[in-house]
Amino acid sequence: MSRFLLVVFLLAATAGAVVAYKDPEQVARASDTVSDLLRNRTTAATRAVQISRGQGGEFALRAKINGVSAPMVIDTGATSVVLTYETAKAAGLPLELLEYNVNVETAGGHTRAARLTLDRLAIGKLVERSVPALVVPHGQMKTNLLGMSFLDRLERWEVRADRLMLHGYP
């Protein structure tokens, strides 16, 4: 909704400049000024995190799951955030209530996982609440995966050279 209002404002400002000035050069300058103001406002308000590629080619990071720090690897092939049993336990998740009834394929082969919702998942300035996730049984995975159930909530993410940029909504 705010983007729509910004576009309407930009169009109104440009139209106002055309009516007020009737000079193409002044109209262009007015339009550039409005565009610069909007761009600077958007840039200042953007929440972004930069992650460097590791030596193994992966993008690894530290996340906070319900306030508990945990290592994660970005996995765009994973439909969901996937936690190891150990991380889920450290984050205080209700493991005794979980049902391991979701079939998943991991790098180590086939296993079952349990669905749950993370109250809070934070990566630097990017904080998402009520994030769907899976937990695998003890010993089934060695690392946590930051999958699409988190990445889809971002405004965008992009890889440039050896850097991954995660951009949250302002």
Side-chain angles (χ1 to χ4, degrees):
M1 183 65 177
S2 64
R3 283 187 181 185
F4 175 74
L5 293 174
L6 287 174
V7 170
V8 169
F9 173 74
L10 178 61
L11 291 174
T14 304
V18 169
V19 170
Y21 298 114
K22 295 183 184 177
D23 179 358
E25 287 183 30
Q26 287 183 337
V27 170
R29 282 193 300 269
S31 178
D32 290 344
T33 301
V34 171
S35 294
D36 288 343
L37 288 171
L38 292 174
R39 189 177 306 113
N40 290 340
R41 181 177 178 266
T42 303
T43 302
T46 299
R47 298 175 304 134
V49 173
Q50 179 177 290
I51 302 156
S52 296
R53 186 185 307 267
Q55 290 182 352
E58 78 288 342
F59 290 102
L61 55 97
R62 297 233 30 114
K64 287 208 173 199
I65 300 165
N66 296 348
V68 175
S69 181
M72 298 192 91
V73 172
I74 303 279
D75 187 348
T76 59
T79 57
S80 183
V81 170
V82 183
L83 302 179
T84 64
Y85 182 89
E86 296 77 12
T87 297
K89 185 175 181 179
L93 299 172
L95 299 176
E96 62 282 348
L97 303 175
L98 299 180
E99 291 184 43
Y100 292 87
N101 57 4
V102 179
N103 292 318
V104 294
E105 288 295 325
T106 68
H110 177 78
T111 190
R112 288 183 170 265
R115 291 184 200 279
L116 53 76
T117 301
L118 304 176
D119 292 334
R120 187 172 190 268
L121 177 55
I123 291 140
K125 301 175 197 174
L126 305 174
V127 179
E128 291 294 327
R129 298 191 180 279
S130 299
V131 179
L134 298 172
V135 175
V136 294
H138 182 71
Q140 293 295 307
M141 285 178 42
K142 293 180 181 176
T143 189
N144 304 294
L145 304 177
L146 188 69
M148 296 306 294
S149 64
F150 179 85
L151 297 173
D152 279 342
R153 292 172 172 228
L154 302 177
E155 180 178 26
R156 72 184 187 280
W157 49 272
E158 59 191 332
V159 177
R160 291 188 181 178
D162 287 332
R163 290 190 170 79
L164 172 67
M165 289 295 296
L166 303 176
H167 299 272
Y169 287 98

